[in-house]
Amino acid sequence: MKTMLLKALTGKPLTEAAPAQSGLDELGMTLGLQARRRLGRSLAIRQVDAGSCNACELEIQATGNPVYDLDRFGLHFVASPRHADVLLVTGPVTRNMEVALRRTYDAMANPKWVVAAGDCAIDGGCFAGSYAVLDGCAAVLPVDVTIPGCPPKPAEILRALVALMQRADKTS
Amino acid sequence: MAEISELVAADRDTFRTGTLQRHKMTRAQWEQAAGDAARGYVTLLSLWATRSAVHMALMEPNSRGVGILSLENRRAEFPSVARLHPPAQRLERSITDLFGLAPQGAEDTRPWLDHGAWGITTPLAKARPREARQPDYDFLPVIGEGLHQVPVGPVHAGIIEPGHFRFSAQGETVVRLEERLGYTHKGIDRLMQGATVARGAMLAQRCSGDSTVAYGWAYAQATEAAQGVTPPPRALWLRAIMAELERLANHLNDIGAICNDAAFALMPALCSPLREKVMRGCDAAFGHRFMRDAIVPGGVARDLERDGRQALEAVVDEVRRGFEPIVELYDNRPSLLARTVGTGRLRGDLARQFAAGGYIGRASGRDFDLRRDLPYAPYDRLTFKIPVREEGDVDARIWIRIEEVRQSLHMLDQLLGGLPAGDIQAPPGPGNAPGEGLGLVEGFRGDVLVWVALDARGRIRRCHMRDPSWFQWPLLEAVIEDNIIADFPLCNKSFNCSYSGVDL
């Protein structure tokens, strides 16, 4: 373990530095400015799976790994909706999850935003029309930002949160 | 009356080569089959219904024959299998919710998938509008002094799937855990009915996102068997490359995540970048990080080009170099091992009774892997070992996964090196004819079963998909007993059962 830690101290970070193609660096700058003004440099996110297949969860989890490292943008996931600014919803919103999703939203303090991540959360995706789903998050909550993809890639999820910050700034 | 096990053993040669004939049962034979499953003469692989019948898939453990038994039912009921063989219980309760068929003699008749929110009842039979409000779910009673209940979920603290856990605890010690699932029920079974084979493939690959390839392959096997189509060798090798990449990505992610639940954050910090490399390799080679829609009935959608192959070879190389120091780190951390060794022990007899697949069964001495035991091409051409341990604790499940990472890397070497040339799609079959087929594929979590029945237009009459977690979730309840609540996340993550895969 000593060698491992030494290597971590002296080696290059795994986090992708200034990736021109993915625009992560630029994204960090924008988010930094917006977040500072509006939310004191941080944005707390509560994620709710409203019936996804779990691929979206895996990619959202990945945004926290050392390669994407969402914490450096002031973004972090919180356990309680009481602490959250953003509700990140995945899945087509199954009828069995409708109440739990509404209650989570109601438990959040204002101001709050809703992000629908993944094709399912946008309009039900390939499950639309089923007796068991509500065809997307908008049927239950006011959606501010959507992130298309099945599932969206980690970098796309990060990028979308910036768009949200910009909108939050305009409406303030 | 022929012995059930002989009947099933006789199907050894037809399974995987074409349409599997179902055996029509009398009620007495059906009950005998349930009893034989309970006695361990045959292994219950799945239980499901169509409008006019109930079906069970069985395996005879010695000959490794796989057969399907069917019982016609005209009176909306059938003799309960779970009465004799408890692993069938949740499958049976789902049959009641979806088809309105009542298992006679069943002990637990509470609804499972139906939470009373659909607006209709029995959606796969003649659906009726729900009239009365569904009564509140009755959790099993726990009696004793100083007990308290801890309800958790469906919305959990982390970024995971939704489900409800009801702990009854005495102090810190869990006396009983009861799971309440079904929150992610999307109605996939009904969406499948009447769908084209192509749309079915899309839905199958969205049952459980982490097992996209396993589902895609099992579904393809089932429809190919039903239509008499044989995919070309190159397509099968490409499917195996995808399947091992999927296994690799999930094992790498979970080895780190389990240790994270013991608050050892260095493990996920090292494991997750390796998983990211695998995902990017998949994207480069097959055009999607989860390889969604890359497997199509009859073959694969896209060939592996030279760039993609080089990208994958580089991934295998990097993971191999990066992984062993991580294993060493895990093995030499007494503070971490103190949390994993002896925690969440699954008894071997329970693993066998429930036919627990994947690392859960293999960590508790159930020496079974479809890739070796009911082999399908190209695994019959590869050399690999199936790791087995007896301890059955969190640590053993981690070690099975560690060894499986090594084996998958070894298989990827062979698969990338020996990839045969040729087509990636079978020529179109003889046309549409009604047919039935069974697919069985070893996913990272265990055996995925898909049974499909096609009608004369080549559309899906009924598709049943059984996730390995059907037989793993109930065991988690047994495993947590006498452990402390604080160790539940650790036990749960070491199982990593699929919610979406069983909720459908």
Side-chain angles (χ1 to χ4, degrees):
Chain A
M1 189 153 120
K2 268 184 216 141
T3 38
M4 207 171 253
L5 292 176
L6 208 64
K7 215 175 121 193
L9 283 172
T10 55
K12 271 196 309 184
L14 282 169
T15 309
E16 295 186 334
Q21 311 101 310
S22 64
L24 277 183
D25 200 44
E26 172 196 345
L27 183 147
M29 291 285 292
T30 332
L31 191 60
L33 288 171
Q34 306 290 357
R36 196 167 307 148
R37 233 175 283 158
R38 179 83 186 142
L39 294 152
R41 298 176 110 173
S42 81
L43 191 65
I45 307 161
R46 171 65 250 200
Q47 193 267 340
V48 171
D49 172 343
S52 97
C53 70
N54 77 33
C56 284
E57 278 62 49
L58 288 168
E59 294 298 58
I60 293 169
Q61 277 171 20
T63 60
N65 73 25
V67 181
Y68 296 103
D69 188 19
L70 90 167
D71 288 73
R72 70 182 143 147
F73 303 117
L75 299 165
H76 60 284
F77 289 99
V78 291
S80 169
R82 304 260 184 229
H83 305 155
D85 308 304
V86 172
L87 186 63
L88 181 58
V89 182
T90 61
V93 184
T94 60
R95 289 181 187 270
N96 287 355
M97 271 304 285
E98 183 187 354
V99 172
L101 180 63
R102 272 188 210 280
R103 284 188 188 167
T104 307
Y105 181 76
D106 290 345
M108 292 167 63
N110 279 317
K112 53 188 171 184
W113 296 272
V114 176
V115 179
D119 292 347
C120 291
I122 294 173
D123 61 3
C126 62
F127 307 113
S130 164
Y131 65 89
V133 308
L134 292 163
D135 296 353
C137 186
V140 183
L141 302 174
V143 174
D144 296 287
V145 173
T146 59
I147 313 176
C150 183
K153 294 179 181 182
E156 288 161 358
I157 297 168
L158 282 179
R159 200 168 293 136
L161 291 167
V162 172
L164 172 73
M165 294 302 298
Q166 283 165 341
R167 189 191 297 193
D169 199 52
K170 266 184 217 147
T171 53
S172 65
Chain B
M1 189 164 77
E3 290 292 330
I4 299 296
S5 52
E6 284 172 27
L7 213 58
V8 174
D11 288 333
R12 187 180 48 184
D13 303 325
T14 48
F15 172 63
R16 295 216 185 276
T17 54
T19 293
L20 197 57
Q21 289 302 316
R22 285 186 279 115
H23 300 287
K24 291 224 164 81
M25 297 279 108
T26 62
R27 286 179 79 92
Q29 284 174 311
W30 179 267
E31 282 174 336
Q32 194 202 330
D36 283 357
R39 284 183 285 271
Y41 299 163
V42 287
T43 306
L44 181 73
L45 294 180
S46 195
L47 177 70
W48 69 97
T50 50
R51 272 207 181 192
S52 58
V54 281
H55 315 272
M56 62 169 118
L58 299 174
M59 179 181 71
E60 203 283 310
N62 300 316
S63 66
R64 304 258 156 73
V66 172
I68 300 176
L69 313 183
S70 299
L71 177 69
E72 299 288 329
N73 43 18
R74 294 187 189 84
R75 286 174 306 182
E77 48 91 9
F78 63 97
S80 167
V81 178
R83 182 175 70 87
L84 301 167
H85 189 53
Q89 199 212 66
R90 288 177 183 175
L91 288 162
E92 229 166 60
R93 287 163 69 186
S94 303
I95 289 175
T96 308
D97 286 352
L98 298 178
F99 288 89
L101 305 175
Q104 293 302 299
E107 241 175 77
D108 192 342
T109 54
R110 293 173 297 169
W112 182 246
L113 296 175
D114 189 350
H115 293 195
W118 300 336
I120 55 170
T121 58
T122 62
L124 269 84
K126 204 170 173 189
R128 291 193 180 86
R130 171 172 284 283
E131 277 151 14
R133 191 179 155 268
Q134 195 181 48
D136 287 340
Y137 192 75
D138 263 334
F139 286 92
L140 298 174
V142 181
I143 301 161
E145 242 177 85
L147 292 172
H148 64 281
Q149 283 200 341
V150 185
V152 178
V155 177
H156 295 157
I159 307 167
I160 55 166
E161 298 179 78
H164 182 86
F165 300 113
R166 185 66 60 99
F167 296 94
S168 297
Q170 192 165 42
E172 274 286 278
T173 309
V174 179
V175 178
R176 167 176 269 163
L177 159 66
E178 192 179 351
E179 296 154 0
R180 172 91 176 106
L181 305 178
Y183 291 94
T184 71
H185 177 75
K186 294 176 268 291
I188 293 177
D189 282 27
R190 195 162 100 178
L191 289 172
M192 279 282 190
Q193 289 185 341
T196 60
V197 169
R199 169 153 161 86
M202 189 183 165
L203 287 168
Q205 291 177 60
R206 282 156 182 81
C207 283
S208 184
D210 50 19
S211 303
T212 296
V213 173
Y215 270 89
W217 196 350
Y219 173 85
Q221 279 184 358
T223 52
E224 284 154 9
Q227 293 180 319
V229 172
T230 310
R234 187 176 174 85
L236 295 173
W237 283 65
L238 288 172
R239 286 178 182 179
I241 291 173
M242 295 182 210
E244 295 314 314
L245 287 168
E246 183 173 270
R247 198 179 323 276
L248 208 54
N250 282 303
H251 281 349
L252 288 170
N253 210 36
D254 289 349
I255 291 168
I258 297 167
C259 297
N260 198 44
D261 281 339
F264 194 71
L266 185 54
M267 283 290 283
L270 295 166
C271 286
S272 55
L274 291 184
R275 181 253 182 193
E276 182 63 26
K277 281 192 206 304
V278 178
M279 300 302 276
R280 288 183 181 185
C282 296
D283 197 14
F286 298 105
H288 193 284
R289 285 164 62 92
F290 290 81
M291 298 169 282
R292 280 219 152 128
D293 307 319
I295 293 180
V296 292
V300 294
R302 165 175 160 165
D303 206 351
L304 181 62
E305 307 294 341
R306 222 182 67 170
D307 301 0
R309 187 162 159 172
Q310 282 167 350
L312 292 182
E313 280 164 354
V315 166
V316 170
D317 201 44
E318 284 178 86
V319 172
R320 184 171 278 135
R321 266 188 289 123
F323 187 60
E324 289 310 320
I326 296 175
V327 178
E328 211 185 303
L329 176 69
Y330 174 74
D331 203 16
N332 290 304
R333 266 333 84 197
S335 57
L336 178 56
L337 295 174
R339 295 291 307 279
T340 60
V341 175
T343 306
R345 202 179 283 276
L346 172 65
R347 295 198 329 252
D349 60 324
L350 275 179
R352 278 186 291 279
Q353 185 193 3
F354 277 74
Y359 45 83
I360 295 172
R362 291 193 281 274
S364 291
R366 183 170 182 262
D367 189 4
F368 182 79
D369 189 308
L370 286 174
R371 292 171 296 172
R372 180 196 62 199
D373 299 321
L374 292 172
Y376 43 103
Y379 290 106
D380 50 350
R381 304 281 300 278
L382 305 180
T383 58
F384 57 94
K385 289 193 203 103
I386 305 297
V388 182
R389 288 174 92 96
E390 301 291 336
E391 300 88 336
D393 54 3
V394 173
D395 178 61
R397 288 188 281 280
I398 291 178
W399 278 107
I400 294 286
R401 287 182 178 235
I402 287 173
E403 193 49 46
E404 286 186 16
V405 166
R406 293 171 175 154
Q407 292 299 321
S408 287
L409 291 170
H410 179 49
M411 278 186 249
L412 282 166
D413 284 341
Q414 300 171 57
L415 288 161
L416 290 167
L419 186 64
D423 292 335
I424 56 162
Q425 274 279 341
N432 294 328
E436 295 175 6
L438 186 69
L440 271 168
V441 164
E442 188 75 23
F444 89 97
R445 197 180 259 127
D447 46 319
V448 175
L449 177 145
V450 176
W451 177 82
V452 74
L454 303 178
D455 67 15
R457 296 175 304 154
R459 284 179 180 259
I460 297 169
R461 194 154 48 83
R462 173 90 173 92
C463 179
H464 165 71
M465 296 180 278
R466 197 271 299 140
D467 194 272
S469 293
W470 278 103
F471 300 131
Q472 297 167 340
W473 272 119
L475 296 174
L476 183 62
E477 292 182 351
V479 149
I480 190 66
E481 232 177 81
D482 292 336
N483 283 257
I484 58 170
I485 292 185
D487 275 343
F488 177 70
L490 200 53
C491 297
N492 190 23
K493 194 68 209 175
S494 77
F495 267 56
N496 191 21
C497 296
S498 175
Y499 298 68
S500 186
V502 298
D503 290 348
L504 287 170

